[in-house]
Amino acid sequence: MITRQSRLPSFKNPPPISTPSSPKEQKKLWKTNFGFQNDISFISNRDKSPEQSSQKKSNSPQSNSITRKPFQLQLGIEQQMLNHHPKSRERRPLKNTIYSRPISRLIEDSRTTRMPSTDHEINRGNFKFHYVLGKGGFGKVWRVELVKSRKLYAMKEMSKAKIMAKNSVNSVLNERILLSQLKHPFIANIHYAFQDREHLFLVMDLLSGGDLRFHIGRMRRFSEQHTKFVICSILLALEYLHQNGIIHRDIKPENIVLDRNGYPRLTDFGIARVIKSENASETSGTPGYMAPEVMFRQNHSVGVDHFALGVMMYEFMMGKRPYLGKSRKDIRDAIIAKQIQLKKSDLPIGWTLEAADLINQLLQRKPQSRLGFNGTQEIYAHQWFAGFPWKSLYEKQLASPFKLSKSCEENYIREISSEHDSLDQQIQENSIKLRQETVQNQFQNYSYVKEQQVTIKRF
């Protein structure tokens, strides 16, 4: 058996201790071995510059009387501290950062991250995650709280790997650019945008009342009062967009969400575009709500939003879309086969003939024949809107017919949270590619901090 010599001092044979023979030698031993007289001056001087320390030392009457050994002893201790100090400042690998924590751990973590010195340094750690509000094609929408101000927002968390897999990098960047230039009481306004290695984050107004697809699923059909409230609200939002040269191109119930007071807001500007004369090749949208000129690859303008508005109004009244089909081809064939024309006999109980006339004029297949071709004022002038309090609606003084309860919000959250995301092979491969700087450069300049903007008013 091999025995190793211990490095610890032996207490069986302690080293001899020399006892000073006189008080003078005792004082000298106290100075040379421990240097306590120099302790306070050293601690007070160690954070100062060498010039300040040397100047004070030369002016001190005790500096010449104290031997060098105590200072060397303390210097050795300080040197060890300096040797260890930089290691605590070394950059830790990504696996130890806040971005790698599971979301559940992030929500339950009671510690708050230090707020940045400026708003431009905003990041995920500045928010407290509450629960999922919705799901989209690229990720989830969270209810979050800004730790510093305790304000509530909706945070859109989008996977970069999914965005790349669906060739939608330009769409998400376009959405951020457009939203940063817009502000209106009937759209979901942006407040912050930032990113980490794997995700993009869009912080917007909190809309917790559920989208219209959820509500029409519960109610089957809307009353004429509910429909007029929604259509008028979205018309105000569309007029604002069109005045600023933007077409939304994806008007549908899923993209209209109620706030906590029951007011509709227009969301999802991923395929919205600035109006241009030549855009026949851009056919993005949802087939059931897509205008014929987009379906048949023709140049299009603001009329595509008016057509989609008519499709929604028809769906609210009849409980189904006017043109049905399992594929885009089926829907296109249905549009070619028949021009929708509602009659008095088609109306459900409680609906007026003026409502049917408005739907018929909005669903005209030719853009030149469609109501609103010469401007939104054509739609406002329709008889169905006669006497409507537009100013009260814009200022949100008009009571909403949607009565939202806490149980309704909980049912909406439970329904959308029951879905699960699935990652295919391409998305997994893109996740690995995100380690490359060239791939990350696709998402550069995504960050945004809300600035004061002026809302365009009509009234």
Side-chain angles (χ1 to χ4, degrees), residues 1-39:
M1 180 176 179
I2 302 173
T3 58
R4 297 182 178 178
Q5 185 176 0
S6 175
R7 298 181 179 180
L8 297 175
S10 174
F11 293 97
K12 293 182 179 180
N13 300 312
I17 300 176
S18 58
T19 305
S21 57
S22 64
K24 186 176 181 180
E25 292 183 3
Q26 184 178 4
K27 185 176 181 180
K28 183 178 179 181
L29 182 63
W30 183 269
K31 290 180 183 179
T32 56
N33 291 340
F34 300 99
F36 288 138
Q37 290 185 0
N38 214 31
D39 235 4

mmCIF file of all heavy atoms in Angstrom, residues 1-39:
data_model
loop_
_atom_site.group_PDB
_atom_site.id
_atom_site.type_symbol
_atom_site.label_atom_id
_atom_site.label_comp_id
_atom_site.label_asym_id
_atom_site.label_seq_id
_atom_site.Cartn_x
_atom_site.Cartn_y
_atom_site.Cartn_z
ATOM 1 N N MET A 1 0.850 -1.200 0.000
ATOM 2 C CA MET A 1 0.000 0.000 0.000
ATOM 3 C C MET A 1 0.885 1.249 0.000
ATOM 4 O O MET A 1 1.806 1.369 0.793
ATOM 5 C CB MET A 1 -0.889 -0.007 1.258
ATOM 6 C CG MET A 1 -1.798 1.200 1.341
ATOM 7 S SD MET A 1 -2.892 1.081 2.763
ATOM 8 C CE MET A 1 -3.775 2.620 2.565
ATOM 9 N N ILE A 2 0.579 2.153 -0.956
ATOM 10 C CA ILE A 2 1.390 3.361 -1.096
ATOM 11 C C ILE A 2 0.761 4.469 -0.272
ATOM 12 O O ILE A 2 -0.423 4.755 -0.389
ATOM 13 C CB ILE A 2 1.498 3.790 -2.559
ATOM 14 C CG1 ILE A 2 2.105 2.667 -3.392
ATOM 15 C CG2 ILE A 2 2.298 5.072 -2.697
ATOM 16 C CD1 ILE A 2 2.106 2.933 -4.861
ATOM 17 N N THR A 3 1.555 5.082 0.525
ATOM 18 C CA THR A 3 1.076 6.203 1.370
ATOM 19 C C THR A 3 1.612 7.498 0.802
ATOM 20 O O THR A 3 2.761 7.585 0.385
ATOM 21 C CB THR A 3 1.553 6.025 2.827
ATOM 22 O OG1 THR A 3 2.977 5.963 2.827
ATOM 23 C CG2 THR A 3 0.964 4.763 3.443
ATOM 24 N N ARG A 4 0.739 8.489 0.770
ATOM 25 C CA ARG A 4 1.137 9.803 0.263
ATOM 26 C C ARG A 4 1.343 10.751 1.422
ATOM 27 O O ARG A 4 0.608 10.733 2.391
ATOM 28 C CB ARG A 4 0.065 10.367 -0.674
ATOM 29 C CG ARG A 4 -0.145 9.525 -1.919
ATOM 30 C CD ARG A 4 -1.184 10.164 -2.825
ATOM 31 N NE ARG A 4 -1.364 9.389 -4.031
ATOM 32 C CZ ARG A 4 -2.233 9.682 -4.999
ATOM 33 N NH1 ARG A 4 -2.983 10.766 -4.855
ATOM 34 N NH2 ARG A 4 -2.336 8.922 -6.057
ATOM 35 N N GLN A 5 2.345 11.564 1.240
ATOM 36 C CA GLN A 5 2.655 12.539 2.280
ATOM 37 C C GLN A 5 1.656 13.672 2.253
ATOM 38 O O GLN A 5 1.378 14.258 1.222
ATOM 39 C CB GLN A 5 4.060 13.098 2.062
ATOM 40 C CG GLN A 5 4.492 14.033 3.202
ATOM 41 C CD GLN A 5 5.905 14.497 3.009
ATOM 42 O OE1 GLN A 5 6.530 14.125 2.042
ATOM 43 N NE2 GLN A 5 6.409 15.290 3.937
ATOM 44 N N SER A 6 1.044 13.940 3.353
ATOM 45 C CA SER A 6 0.033 14.988 3.441
ATOM 46 C C SER A 6 0.681 16.365 3.361
ATOM 47 O O SER A 6 1.771 16.588 3.868
ATOM 48 C CB SER A 6 -0.742 14.868 4.759
ATOM 49 O OG SER A 6 -1.630 15.940 4.889
ATOM 50 N N ARG A 7 -0.001 17.261 2.688
ATOM 51 C CA ARG A 7 0.475 18.631 2.591
ATOM 52 C C ARG A 7 0.004 19.488 3.755
ATOM 53 O O ARG A 7 0.395 20.637 3.879
ATOM 54 C CB ARG A 7 0.001 19.259 1.280
ATOM 55 C CG ARG A 7 0.530 18.563 0.037
ATOM 56 C CD ARG A 7 0.042 19.261 -1.224
ATOM 57 N NE ARG A 7 0.565 18.608 -2.413
ATOM 58 C CZ ARG A 7 0.298 18.996 -3.660
ATOM 59 N NH1 ARG A 7 -0.466 20.057 -3.850
ATOM 60 N NH2 ARG A 7 0.794 18.346 -4.682
ATOM 61 N N LEU A 8 -0.904 18.960 4.545
ATOM 62 C CA LEU A 8 -1.404 19.715 5.686
ATOM 63 C C LEU A 8 -0.379 19.713 6.800
ATOM 64 O O LEU A 8 0.405 18.764 6.942
ATOM 65 C CB LEU A 8 -2.705 19.093 6.202
ATOM 66 C CG LEU A 8 -3.881 19.119 5.201
ATOM 67 C CD1 LEU A 8 -5.062 18.371 5.789
ATOM 68 C CD2 LEU A 8 -4.254 20.554 4.900
ATOM 69 N N PRO A 9 -0.352 20.735 7.609
ATOM 70 C CA PRO A 9 0.621 20.767 8.723
ATOM 71 C C PRO A 9 0.310 19.672 9.739
ATOM 72 O O PRO A 9 -0.849 19.332 9.990
ATOM 73 C CB PRO A 9 0.423 22.157 9.323
ATOM 74 C CG PRO A 9 -0.950 22.550 8.918
ATOM 75 C CD PRO A 9 -1.195 21.931 7.583
ATOM 76 N N SER A 10 1.354 19.111 10.257
ATOM 77 C CA SER A 10 1.201 18.054 11.259
ATOM 78 C C SER A 10 1.019 18.669 12.639
ATOM 79 O O SER A 10 1.741 19.579 13.024
ATOM 80 C CB SER A 10 2.439 17.151 11.253
ATOM 81 O OG SER A 10 2.353 16.220 12.295
ATOM 82 N N PHE A 11 0.015 18.186 13.377
ATOM 83 C CA PHE A 11 -0.250 18.707 14.717
ATOM 84 C C PHE A 11 0.391 17.833 15.784
ATOM 85 O O PHE A 11 0.350 18.140 16.955
ATOM 86 C CB PHE A 11 -1.758 18.795 14.961
ATOM 87 C CG PHE A 11 -2.422 19.823 14.095
ATOM 88 C CD1 PHE A 11 -3.049 19.455 12.920
ATOM 89 C CD2 PHE A 11 -2.400 21.165 14.443
ATOM 90 C CE1 PHE A 11 -3.653 20.391 12.119
ATOM 91 C CE2 PHE A 11 -3.016 22.115 13.647
ATOM 92 C CZ PHE A 11 -3.640 21.726 12.484
ATOM 93 N N LYS A 12 0.972 16.692 15.294
ATOM 94 C CA LYS A 12 1.672 15.842 16.263
ATOM 95 C C LYS A 12 3.025 16.448 16.612
ATOM 96 O O LYS A 12 3.463 16.443 17.751
ATOM 97 C CB LYS A 12 1.874 14.440 15.688
ATOM 98 C CG LYS A 12 0.544 13.704 15.498
ATOM 99 C CD LYS A 12 0.789 12.299 14.973
ATOM 100 C CE LYS A 12 -0.522 11.534 14.806
ATOM 101 N NZ LYS A 12 -0.292 10.163 14.299
ATOM 102 N N ASN A 13 3.734 16.956 15.586
ATOM 103 C CA ASN A 13 5.041 17.573 15.800
ATOM 104 C C ASN A 13 5.003 19.011 15.322
ATOM 105 O O ASN A 13 5.461 19.338 14.226
ATOM 106 C CB ASN A 13 6.135 16.807 15.052
ATOM 107 C CG ASN A 13 6.216 15.363 15.520
ATOM 108 O OD1 ASN A 13 6.246 15.112 16.721
ATOM 109 N ND2 ASN A 13 6.242 14.422 14.568
ATOM 110 N N PRO A 14 4.383 19.919 16.080
ATOM 111 C CA PRO A 14 4.279 21.322 15.645
ATOM 112 C C PRO A 14 5.645 21.975 15.590
ATOM 113 O O PRO A 14 6.557 21.590 16.316
ATOM 114 C CB PRO A 14 3.396 21.952 16.720
ATOM 115 C CG PRO A 14 3.604 21.103 17.924
ATOM 116 C CD PRO A 14 3.834 19.715 17.439
ATOM 117 N N PRO A 15 5.801 22.952 14.685
ATOM 118 C CA PRO A 15 7.092 23.647 14.593
ATOM 119 C C PRO A 15 7.344 24.472 15.847
ATOM 120 O O PRO A 15 6.406 24.927 16.506
ATOM 121 C CB PRO A 15 6.915 24.549 13.369
ATOM 122 C CG PRO A 15 5.450 24.734 13.246
ATOM 123 C CD PRO A 15 4.828 23.464 13.737
ATOM 124 N N PRO A 16 8.606 24.629 16.191
ATOM 125 C CA PRO A 16 8.929 25.389 17.412
ATOM 126 C C PRO A 16 8.557 26.857 17.262
ATOM 127 O O PRO A 16 8.691 27.438 16.199
ATOM 128 C CB PRO A 16 10.443 25.228 17.536
ATOM 129 C CG PRO A 16 10.907 24.932 16.147
ATOM 130 C CD PRO A 16 9.826 24.143 15.508
ATOM 131 N N ILE A 17 8.021 27.421 18.301
ATOM 132 C CA ILE A 17 7.638 28.835 18.332
ATOM 133 C C ILE A 17 8.647 29.573 19.184
ATOM 134 O O ILE A 17 8.883 29.238 20.353
ATOM 135 C CB ILE A 17 6.227 28.995 18.922
ATOM 136 C CG1 ILE A 17 5.212 28.218 18.059
ATOM 137 C CG2 ILE A 17 5.842 30.460 18.993
ATOM 138 C CD1 ILE A 17 3.821 28.226 18.606
ATOM 139 N N SER A 18 9.264 30.570 18.564
ATOM 140 C CA SER A 18 10.249 31.362 19.294
ATOM 141 C C SER A 18 9.544 32.460 20.059
ATOM 142 O O SER A 18 8.766 33.231 19.492
ATOM 143 C CB SER A 18 11.266 31.958 18.321
ATOM 144 O OG SER A 18 10.589 32.745 17.371
ATOM 145 N N THR A 19 9.799 32.530 21.302
ATOM 146 C CA THR A 19 9.193 33.548 22.153
ATOM 147 C C THR A 19 10.113 34.742 22.245
ATOM 148 O O THR A 19 11.292 34.604 22.557
ATOM 149 C CB THR A 19 8.942 32.997 23.560
ATOM 150 O OG1 THR A 19 8.156 31.819 23.439
ATOM 151 C CG2 THR A 19 8.204 34.009 24.415
ATOM 152 N N PRO A 20 9.614 35.944 21.917
ATOM 153 C CA PRO A 20 10.477 37.133 21.986
ATOM 154 C C PRO A 20 10.918 37.381 23.423
ATOM 155 O O PRO A 20 10.147 37.202 24.364
ATOM 156 C CB PRO A 20 9.592 38.249 21.459
ATOM 157 C CG PRO A 20 8.189 37.755 21.631
ATOM 158 C CD PRO A 20 8.246 36.290 21.488
ATOM 159 N N SER A 21 12.139 37.761 23.512
ATOM 160 C CA SER A 21 12.708 37.961 24.845
ATOM 161 C C SER A 21 12.430 39.340 25.403
ATOM 162 O O SER A 21 12.589 39.553 26.612
ATOM 163 C CB SER A 21 14.231 37.730 24.787
ATOM 164 O OG SER A 21 14.787 38.607 23.819
ATOM 165 N N SER A 22 12.064 40.302 24.540
ATOM 166 C CA SER A 22 11.844 41.667 25.024
ATOM 167 C C SER A 22 10.636 42.270 24.293
ATOM 168 O O SER A 22 10.258 41.809 23.208
ATOM 169 C CB SER A 22 13.082 42.531 24.767
ATOM 170 O OG SER A 22 13.305 42.659 23.387
ATOM 171 N N PRO A 23 10.041 43.321 24.854
ATOM 172 C CA PRO A 23 8.911 43.984 24.154
ATOM 173 C C PRO A 23 9.297 44.539 22.800
ATOM 174 O O PRO A 23 8.484 44.568 21.892
ATOM 175 C CB PRO A 23 8.528 45.104 25.121
ATOM 176 C CG PRO A 23 9.000 44.636 26.458
ATOM 177 C CD PRO A 23 10.249 43.861 26.200
ATOM 178 N N LYS A 24 10.555 44.996 22.613
ATOM 179 C CA LYS A 24 10.988 45.532 21.331
ATOM 180 C C LYS A 24 10.996 44.470 20.257
ATOM 181 O O LYS A 24 10.521 44.672 19.128
ATOM 182 C CB LYS A 24 12.367 46.157 21.488
ATOM 183 C CG LYS A 24 12.842 46.868 20.224
ATOM 184 C CD LYS A 24 14.163 47.551 20.500
ATOM 185 C CE LYS A 24 14.648 48.285 19.257
ATOM 186 N NZ LYS A 24 15.922 48.971 19.457
ATOM 187 N N GLU A 25 11.529 43.258 20.580
ATOM 188 C CA GLU A 25 11.542 42.152 19.624
ATOM 189 C C GLU A 25 10.122 41.668 19.338
ATOM 190 O O GLU A 25 9.800 41.257 18.223
ATOM 191 C CB GLU A 25 12.396 41.011 20.159
ATOM 192 C CG GLU A 25 13.872 41.342 20.224
ATOM 193 C CD GLU A 25 14.671 40.137 20.698
ATOM 194 O OE1 GLU A 25 14.042 39.080 20.892
ATOM 195 O OE2 GLU A 25 15.890 40.268 20.841
ATOM 196 N N GLN A 26 9.234 41.693 20.384
ATOM 197 C CA GLN A 26 7.852 41.277 20.174
ATOM 198 C C GLN A 26 7.152 42.194 19.166
ATOM 199 O O GLN A 26 6.418 41.742 18.295
ATOM 200 C CB GLN A 26 7.111 41.313 21.515
ATOM 201 C CG GLN A 26 5.679 40.808 21.412
ATOM 202 C CD GLN A 26 4.995 40.813 22.770
ATOM 203 O OE1 GLN A 26 5.574 41.270 23.756
ATOM 204 N NE2 GLN A 26 3.778 40.293 22.809
ATOM 205 N N LYS A 27 7.388 43.511 19.264
ATOM 206 C CA LYS A 27 6.785 44.453 18.337
ATOM 207 C C LYS A 27 7.316 44.246 16.925
ATOM 208 O O LYS A 27 6.580 44.311 15.939
ATOM 209 C CB LYS A 27 7.079 45.865 18.821
ATOM 210 C CG LYS A 27 6.393 46.942 17.991
ATOM 211 C CD LYS A 27 6.661 48.325 18.602
ATOM 212 C CE LYS A 27 5.945 49.392 17.789
ATOM 213 N NZ LYS A 27 6.183 50.739 18.335
ATOM 214 N N LYS A 28 8.635 43.953 16.791
ATOM 215 C CA LYS A 28 9.241 43.711 15.492
ATOM 216 C C LYS A 28 8.672 42.458 14.848
ATOM 217 O O LYS A 28 8.374 42.428 13.650
ATOM 218 C CB LYS A 28 10.757 43.601 15.655
ATOM 219 C CG LYS A 28 11.475 43.407 14.325
ATOM 220 C CD LYS A 28 12.968 43.352 14.555
ATOM 221 C CE LYS A 28 13.700 43.142 13.243
ATOM 222 N NZ LYS A 28 15.150 43.048 13.425
ATOM 223 N N LEU A 29 8.497 41.381 15.627
ATOM 224 C CA LEU A 29 7.928 40.136 15.114
ATOM 225 C C LEU A 29 6.484 40.345 14.644
ATOM 226 O O LEU A 29 6.052 39.820 13.629
ATOM 227 C CB LEU A 29 7.982 39.056 16.197
ATOM 228 C CG LEU A 29 7.457 37.663 15.793
ATOM 229 C CD1 LEU A 29 8.311 37.091 14.682
ATOM 230 C CD2 LEU A 29 7.440 36.736 17.006
ATOM 231 N N TRP A 30 5.733 41.148 15.384
ATOM 232 C CA TRP A 30 4.329 41.436 15.031
ATOM 233 C C TRP A 30 4.262 42.141 13.662
ATOM 234 O O TRP A 30 3.428 41.845 12.830
ATOM 235 C CB TRP A 30 3.728 42.320 16.128
ATOM 236 C CG TRP A 30 2.272 42.624 15.933
ATOM 237 C CD1 TRP A 30 1.743 43.667 15.287
ATOM 238 C CD2 TRP A 30 1.179 41.841 16.402
ATOM 239 N NE1 TRP A 30 0.376 43.633 15.307
ATOM 240 C CE2 TRP A 30 0.004 42.498 16.013
ATOM 241 C CE3 TRP A 30 1.088 40.654 17.158
ATOM 242 C CZ2 TRP A 30 -1.257 42.018 16.311
ATOM 243 C CZ3 TRP A 30 -0.170 40.180 17.452
ATOM 244 C CH2 TRP A 30 -1.329 40.846 17.030
ATOM 245 N N LYS A 31 5.191 43.088 13.409
ATOM 246 C CA LYS A 31 5.220 43.819 12.152
ATOM 247 C C LYS A 31 5.619 42.927 10.985
ATOM 248 O O LYS A 31 4.975 42.885 9.952
ATOM 249 C CB LYS A 31 6.193 44.993 12.239
ATOM 250 C CG LYS A 31 5.737 46.118 13.144
ATOM 251 C CD LYS A 31 6.800 47.207 13.122
ATOM 252 C CE LYS A 31 6.433 48.347 14.079
ATOM 253 N NZ LYS A 31 7.474 49.387 14.060
ATOM 254 N N THR A 32 6.723 42.201 11.134
ATOM 255 C CA THR A 32 7.304 41.476 10.011
ATOM 256 C C THR A 32 6.460 40.286 9.576
ATOM 257 O O THR A 32 6.401 39.971 8.398
ATOM 258 C CB THR A 32 8.703 40.988 10.381
ATOM 259 O OG1 THR A 32 8.607 40.199 11.564
ATOM 260 C CG2 THR A 32 9.625 42.156 10.602
ATOM 261 N N ASN A 33 5.789 39.596 10.499
ATOM 262 C CA ASN A 33 5.072 38.368 10.154
ATOM 263 C C ASN A 33 3.641 38.602 9.683
ATOM 264 O O ASN A 33 3.127 37.820 8.906
ATOM 265 C CB ASN A 33 5.062 37.405 11.333
ATOM 266 C CG ASN A 33 6.440 36.842 11.602
ATOM 267 O OD1 ASN A 33 7.288 36.874 10.714
ATOM 268 N ND2 ASN A 33 6.662 36.354 12.804
ATOM 269 N N PHE A 34 2.999 39.679 10.168
ATOM 270 C CA PHE A 34 1.569 39.840 9.870
ATOM 271 C C PHE A 34 1.245 41.134 9.138
ATOM 272 O O PHE A 34 0.364 41.162 8.300
ATOM 273 C CB PHE A 34 0.745 39.758 11.165
ATOM 274 C CG PHE A 34 0.925 38.446 11.869
ATOM 275 C CD1 PHE A 34 1.812 38.361 12.937
ATOM 276 C CD2 PHE A 34 0.253 37.321 11.467
ATOM 277 C CE1 PHE A 34 1.987 37.159 13.578
ATOM 278 C CE2 PHE A 34 0.432 36.121 12.121
ATOM 279 C CZ PHE A 34 1.306 36.026 13.178
ATOM 280 N N GLY A 35 1.928 42.199 9.452
ATOM 281 C CA GLY A 35 1.722 43.448 8.721
ATOM 282 C C GLY A 35 0.352 44.056 8.923
ATOM 283 O O GLY A 35 -0.196 44.654 7.999
ATOM 284 N N PHE A 36 -0.280 43.912 10.086
ATOM 285 C CA PHE A 36 -1.620 44.446 10.308
ATOM 286 C C PHE A 36 -1.637 45.972 10.302
ATOM 287 O O PHE A 36 -2.652 46.572 10.014
ATOM 288 C CB PHE A 36 -2.182 43.953 11.645
ATOM 289 C CG PHE A 36 -2.557 42.487 11.598
ATOM 290 C CD1 PHE A 36 -2.270 41.640 12.658
ATOM 291 C CD2 PHE A 36 -3.184 41.973 10.482
ATOM 292 C CE1 PHE A 36 -2.622 40.306 12.605
ATOM 293 C CE2 PHE A 36 -3.536 40.634 10.434
ATOM 294 C CZ PHE A 36 -3.249 39.800 11.500
ATOM 295 N N GLN A 37 -0.521 46.603 10.622
ATOM 296 C CA GLN A 37 -0.505 48.059 10.626
ATOM 297 C C GLN A 37 -0.694 48.618 9.210
ATOM 298 O O GLN A 37 -1.144 49.732 9.031
ATOM 299 C CB GLN A 37 0.808 48.575 11.212
ATOM 300 C CG GLN A 37 0.926 48.329 12.714
ATOM 301 C CD GLN A 37 2.184 48.958 13.268
ATOM 302 O OE1 GLN A 37 2.943 49.564 12.524
ATOM 303 N NE2 GLN A 37 2.408 48.825 14.562
ATOM 304 N N ASN A 38 -0.332 47.818 8.215
ATOM 305 C CA ASN A 38 -0.428 48.294 6.839
ATOM 306 C C ASN A 38 -1.739 47.897 6.160
ATOM 307 O O ASN A 38 -1.987 48.260 5.034
ATOM 308 C CB ASN A 38 0.735 47.726 6.025
ATOM 309 C CG ASN A 38 1.213 48.691 4.968
ATOM 310 O OD1 ASN A 38 1.130 49.892 5.175
ATOM 311 N ND2 ASN A 38 1.694 48.172 3.861
ATOM 312 N N ASP A 39 -2.581 47.114 6.844
ATOM 313 C CA ASP A 39 -3.781 46.558 6.238
ATOM 314 C C ASP A 39 -4.748 47.631 5.775
ATOM 315 O O ASP A 39 -5.217 47.618 4.649
ATOM 316 C CB ASP A 39 -4.488 45.647 7.246
ATOM 317 C CG ASP A 39 -4.707 44.265 6.663
ATOM 318 O OD1 ASP A 39 -4.228 44.048 5.539
ATOM 319 O OD2 ASP A 39 -5.360 43.445 7.313
#
